[in-house]
Structures are given as C-alpha cells and as structure tokens.
Amino acid sequence: MGTKTIIRPFYQPKFALLKLTIGISPCPNDTFIFDAIYNRRIDTRDLEFEFVMEDVEYLNRAAFEGRLDITKLSYYAFTQLTPMYQMMQSGGALGRNCGPLLVSNRSDFKPDENSRIAIPGKNTTANFLLSLAYPKLNHKEEVIFSSIEEQVASGAFDAGLIIHESRFTYRDKGLHLVTDLGVFWEQRTGTPIPLGGIVIKRSLDEQVKQAVNQVIRESVQFAFDHPKVSHE
C-alpha cells in the first residue's frame, strides 16, 4: 500500500536568481516530495521558492486563476488546465490501494440521487472518481478534507469522500466504508490511481522549468535516501 513518486535525470541550468511561488498541500506525499527544498537540505542553485501550503482544492482553484508558478494539482484539474500549466517530470504521485473512500456513519448506507455527500473539492481526482462510480449524485457539498470525517460522524451528511490519512482513521470515528474508489478505479482500468502531480506555468522560460524539475528530483531522491529526516 502506498504511492509511487516519479523522478527523472539531472539537468544543470544557467540563469539569474529567480523567485517562484510554489503551492503544496499538507498531505504526506507533498511533505515527502518537498521537505528537502522547504528546509534547504539540498542546493536549490539560483532558485528561490515562496511556499503556499493549503488544502488541495485551494491549490486547484489557485491554479485555475493562474496565481501559482508551480503547484501540486489534482490530475483531474490538470485535464482542464493544460493550456496554462504543464506537468513536471518529477514528483507525480500514482498509487495502488491508496485511493479515496466513500464512508458513512451507517453500515447499511446505499448512495442515491438524494444522498447528501461531503466532498474535498469539485476539481479533485477523488470527486472525479466518485462521479464515475455514482453519476446520479445530486447533492454534493465541498468541505475541507480534514473536516469530512467529523461532519459525517455528526450526521451533517449521509456520507463523505475522504482522502489522505483519513483512510486510516475513519473507523476510529465510528464510520463505515461504503466504496473504496481506488479499488473501483483499479478494477475498471487495471492502472494505478492518478492522485496528483506537480505542474509549472508554460509561460516560464524552458531553462527555468528544467531547473525546477531537477531540484524537485533531487528533493525526492533526498527523501528516499533519508526517510527519517522529513519526519523530524
């Protein structure tokens, strides 16, 4: 169980000092990928990064508005943003047995068109998978991902679409699994779940893009080489 983070080969750029905004979420994938950059554990050369840490749907919306130079982005959102952003070669997260879950506080819950569902964002890959599995759901409401378990447990919603570490804690809060949407995707396609990738503005200089890719690659490699450091 887990995710696979993609890395690519070395590239050495030549350009003047440049400051870039970079959006990441507090999910384990992102902290793993970016810890070495954020904490300056590696040489970022002539690049400076101004980090914006928010939940994934905030980052998706910021990307639609073009407010970030580089950002974590749901793969579903990326399908709508290819004119503005391109996918980096390093830092993409794909996985098996780690997809979003639909959960309820009722063990006998069956979703229908009248069900009230809490989702982590309309542009998330999780919501895309939910729409594939249950295309007739008409009452979905966006809730910050970290609050969905609590909202469902309280009865505010019939069910909730949980992501990140919530898949390991929902049972402790009295919730029941309705559908594992990762399993749904894998059975339907035979491919890993497309969780999120790192994108960069197409308008940036090509050397800058390659330099950013290299720094992210080295950050990922540092995390693999020093797995305990990012937890300090």
Side-chain angles (χ1 to χ4, degrees):
M1 180 169 65
T3 61
K4 178 181 179 182
T5 304
I6 304 166
I7 60 176
R8 290 291 186 265
F10 175 83
Y11 175 79
Q12 179 64 52
K14 293 181 180 179
F15 50 83
L17 181 66
L18 182 65
K19 188 171 186 177
L20 301 166
T21 54
I22 182 166
I24 69 172
S25 80
C27 79
N29 285 334
D30 289 9
T31 55
F32 179 87
I33 293 167
F34 291 103
D35 168 74
I37 298 173
Y38 185 86
N39 290 299
R40 300 183 180 276
R41 305 186 199 278
I42 61 171
D43 179 10
T44 59
R45 301 172 181 82
D46 292 325
L47 293 172
E48 273 190 45
F49 297 102
E50 179 183 344
F51 279 85
V52 176
M53 185 174 287
E54 296 286 352
D55 73 277
V56 65
E57 185 64 1
Y58 178 100
L59 299 178
N60 289 339
R61 291 178 178 177
F64 275 100
E65 296 171 7
R67 291 193 279 118
L68 298 167
D69 297 313
I70 307 151
T71 186
K72 156 77 168 288
L73 193 67
S74 297
Y75 275 124
Y76 175 64
F78 177 64
T79 65
Q80 305 165 69
L81 286 169
T82 53
M84 190 186 308
Y85 288 95
Q86 66 187 81
M87 189 66 64
M88 303 299 296
Q89 293 179 322
S90 299
L94 307 172
R96 295 186 184 274
N97 289 334
C98 61
L101 307 178
L102 183 65
V103 300
S104 175
N105 63 4
R106 293 165 39 200
S107 60
D108 61 346
F109 175 73
K110 303 292 183 184
D112 61 37
E113 59 186 14
N114 296 314
S115 300
R116 297 166 301 145
I117 312 293
I119 63 171
K122 67 178 183 179
N123 300 303
T124 60
T125 302
N127 185 49
F128 168 71
L129 295 176
L130 180 66
S131 298
L132 283 181
Y134 299 103
K136 296 183 178 181
L137 294 178
N138 293 323
H139 302 285
K140 296 189 285 187
E141 183 176 329
E142 292 178 301
V143 175
I144 189 167
F145 76 92
S146 56
S147 299
I148 291 178
E149 289 172 296
E150 178 183 341
Q151 293 283 326
V152 175
S154 72
F157 294 91
D158 298 311
L161 184 59
I162 59 173
I163 58 176
H164 302 332
E165 63 273 15
S166 295
R167 67 177 288 118
F168 304 112
T169 60
Y170 72 92
R171 290 190 180 90
D172 296 335
K173 299 179 181 178
L175 301 179
H176 305 272
L177 178 65
V178 178
T179 304
D180 185 324
L181 293 166
V183 171
F184 166 80
W185 172 266
E186 291 177 53
Q187 290 179 344
R188 179 166 177 163
T189 68
T191 63
I193 308 152
L195 299 170
I198 311 303
V199 300
I200 190 167
K201 278 188 173 178
R202 289 186 181 276
S203 58
L204 290 171
D205 182 84
E206 194 62 33
Q207 281 194 326
V208 172
K209 296 176 191 175
Q210 294 191 50
V212 171
N213 186 73
Q214 173 58 23
V215 170
I216 294 175
R217 179 195 185 279
E218 291 182 3
S219 184
V220 171
Q221 191 62 60
F222 184 94
F224 278 125
D225 293 342
H226 306 87
K228 295 182 180 180
V229 171
S230 62
H231 298 291
E232 294 177 353

